[in-house]
Amino acid sequence: MDLSSRSKILSWLREEDSAKLELFYDAANRFRKKQVGDEVHLRGLIEFSNHCVCSCTYCGLRVENRDLERYRMTPEEILSSARNAKSAGYGTVVLQSGDDPRTTTDWMSNVIRNIRTETGLAVTLSVGERTREDLAAWREAGAERYLLRFETSNKALFNRIHPRRPGQGRDRFEVLRDLRNLGYEVGSGVMIGIPGQTYEDLAQDIDLFRELDLDMIGVGPWISHPRAPLANMPCASKQDQVSNNEEMVYKVLALTRLVCPLTNIPATTGLATINRDSGRELGLDRGANVLMPNCTPLRFRRLYEIYPAKVCMDETEDACQSAMRDRVEAMGRTIGVGPGPSRNREARIRN
Ligand code: SAH
């Protein structure tokens, strides 16, 4: 499939013929099988703090949301969740939080070291725009992967949804470069259907995935949060505004797989939230090869409300995890064993 130019990406984003889309998804699925095989890697997600100093207009954790009860798990609680992830058979934990300055360099290093020593799990961080010194210290402490979505490559739109804090915060592309130089596996991604996001913008995002040679790419629908003002912001014109519907997410997943053959791509919680019954399966069928079961203790999980009605809020951890395994196996796919590193990175090192 020729996706060498942005205009070809664009025309698939605009495609509405369902028969053509079925063939397109099929091609992406076969390509996924050929490039990364049938394994589905499971990453245990630990949402360890919902404190945040940012004002992102899309996110329920934004500092202005005073209705949200805030929490920060203790290092012992985080370690205990990591132990659960290990017993569930996962090879990796993803430590995610708001941009929380109280998780200092040393605090985080200590958490990472404990998890590495006690469980041997691979550690992925998703903790926002931190300084190069923090990133270096945490790499040193044993974190190997980092996720930071650039959300949209349209600078004006990004600035609108992510107001800059005076003298703080960092350009996300600069952070991604630091991460690469420090030897992390680098993950990024975007939200789909942000008010004001055009098809051109999204095609540029996907082109950029290719250019940045990312190890992990997470994409999901923008979901409106009642305590976040983005829903009231202006949309692009009717013919240009990208929808945040399910179909659009599948188009982006398939395109992402086709332009980034070896990348690890999750079927995200956001996708599962807009289609509880089969979002994850359909995502895995259309390019994805990773799932991120939630390992946050239930009492905290309901407070990590980046958007409302997230899936797996009321299930017990065990039920959530075994359901995922069963579903993967029912699809004829296998569960990945071990940390499931980036094949992209392996190829980069070989060349
Ligand atoms: N503070 C970290 C982690 C944030 S949550 C950071 O900013 O990187 C991780 C991702 O959730 C964000 O990158 C964003 O893409 C997504 N997200 C947040 N609010 C959302 C919403 N309302 N709808 C869809 N995705 C959202």
Side-chain angles (χ1 to χ4, degrees):
M1 182 140 343
D2 178 11
L3 293 169
S4 55
S5 69
R6 194 170 302 172
S7 63
K8 298 211 165 74
I9 295 176
L10 193 57
S11 71
W12 279 112
L13 288 175
R14 286 187 176 279
E15 183 59 63
E16 284 186 355
D17 181 323
S18 55
K20 278 194 193 151
L21 283 173
E22 278 312 315
L23 291 175
F24 180 63
Y25 295 148
D26 224 45
N29 194 32
R30 275 183 279 118
F31 193 65
R32 182 271 309 152
K33 186 177 170 82
K34 182 163 155 234
Q35 297 294 331
V36 294
D38 275 335
E39 282 191 331
V40 175
H41 300 285
L42 303 180
R43 323 292 199 200
L45 178 64
I46 305 173
E47 298 154 329
F48 67 91
S49 162
N50 71 352
H51 286 272
C52 192
V53 291
C54 291
S55 304
C56 303
T57 59
Y58 46 89
C59 185
L61 306 189
R62 68 201 306 265
V63 66
E64 290 81 1
N65 184 4
R66 312 234 182 264
D67 291 348
L68 182 66
E69 182 190 328
R70 305 281 172 166
Y71 72 90
R72 182 180 304 107
M73 289 167 64
T74 64
E76 292 70 33
E77 285 166 336
I78 301 173
L79 183 60
S80 150
S81 295
R83 283 198 199 100
N84 292 342
K86 169 118 178 158
S87 352
Y90 309 153
T92 302
V93 280
V94 180
L95 304 181
Q96 193 179 85
S97 69
D99 288 40
D100 177 3
R102 297 278 286 277
T103 60
T104 59
T105 321
D106 291 346
W107 187 92
M108 198 76 234
S109 297
N110 182 39
V111 167
I112 296 164
R113 257 192 217 101
N114 286 345
I115 295 179
R116 293 289 303 143
T117 331
E118 283 231 11
T119 68
L121 294 172
V123 174
T124 305
L125 300 176
S126 172
V127 297
E129 299 155 11
R130 304 290 299 227
T131 62
R132 192 179 196 286
E133 291 69 39
D134 283 343
L135 304 176
W138 299 336
R139 180 76 190 88
E140 184 76 14
E144 289 170 292
R145 308 174 187 171
Y146 202 104
L147 307 173
L148 184 68
R149 292 185 178 179
F150 60 79
E151 316 292 1
T152 169
S153 58
N154 175 332
K155 282 255 176 317
L157 180 59
F158 181 77
N159 291 335
R160 215 176 327 143
I161 65 171
H162 183 73
R164 240 182 207 297
R165 289 174 293 140
Q168 283 172 313
R170 300 184 60 202
D171 179 85
R172 293 198 169 193
F173 292 101
E174 212 176 280
V175 177
L176 294 175
R177 266 194 302 278
D178 282 351
L179 290 166
R180 173 59 45 83
N181 291 335
L182 289 164
Y184 280 93
E185 282 188 25
V186 182
S188 194
V190 298
M191 285 184 292
I192 300 164
I194 306 166
Q197 184 184 45
T198 66
Y199 284 93
E200 293 277 350
D201 292 335
L202 192 52
Q204 175 175 281
D205 296 342
I206 295 169
D207 223 8
L208 203 55
F209 291 164
R210 167 161 52 199
E211 207 177 299
L212 292 170
D213 192 19
L214 296 166
D215 300 301
M216 304 167 280
I217 300 172
V219 300
W222 165 66
I223 300 172
S224 177
H225 189 295
R227 306 288 303 162
L230 184 54
N232 305 320
M233 298 216 185
C235 285
S237 67
K238 196 161 183 289
Q239 66 274 21
D240 286 335
Q241 172 64 48
V242 171
S243 154
N244 61 347
N245 69 16
E246 209 183 329
E247 185 89 88
M248 197 60 70
V249 178
Y250 299 134
K251 289 180 191 173
V252 176
L253 278 175
L255 283 162
T256 301
R257 172 58 66 201
L258 290 163
V259 303
C260 303
L262 297 174
T263 302
N264 284 324
I265 304 176
T268 55
T269 311
L271 174 57
T273 298
I274 58 171
N275 177 351
R276 282 166 189 265
D277 293 335
S278 53
R280 285 202 180 89
E281 280 95 331
L282 287 168
L284 290 174
D285 248 349
R286 295 169 173 182
N289 69 324
V290 170
L291 291 175
M292 296 169 72
N294 199 323
C295 294
T296 313
L298 282 169
R299 66 183 186 284
F300 298 125
R301 200 184 298 181
R302 62 180 185 84
L303 299 174
Y304 196 82
E305 199 193 51
I306 53 179
Y307 47 78
K310 252 171 45 182
V311 281
C312 279
M313 280 306 191
D314 37 21
E315 296 167 74
T316 69
E317 282 122 281
D318 288 352
C320 187
Q321 288 159 9
S322 64
M324 252 187 226
R325 273 176 195 280
D326 292 350
R327 286 166 166 220
V328 167
E329 277 156 14
M331 292 175 72
R333 302 272 283 271
T334 54
I335 301 285
V337 178
S342 157
R343 297 179 191 228
N344 221 16
R345 181 155 188 263
E346 289 164 3
R348 216 168 28 241
I349 291 167
R350 265 199 310 277
N351 294 329

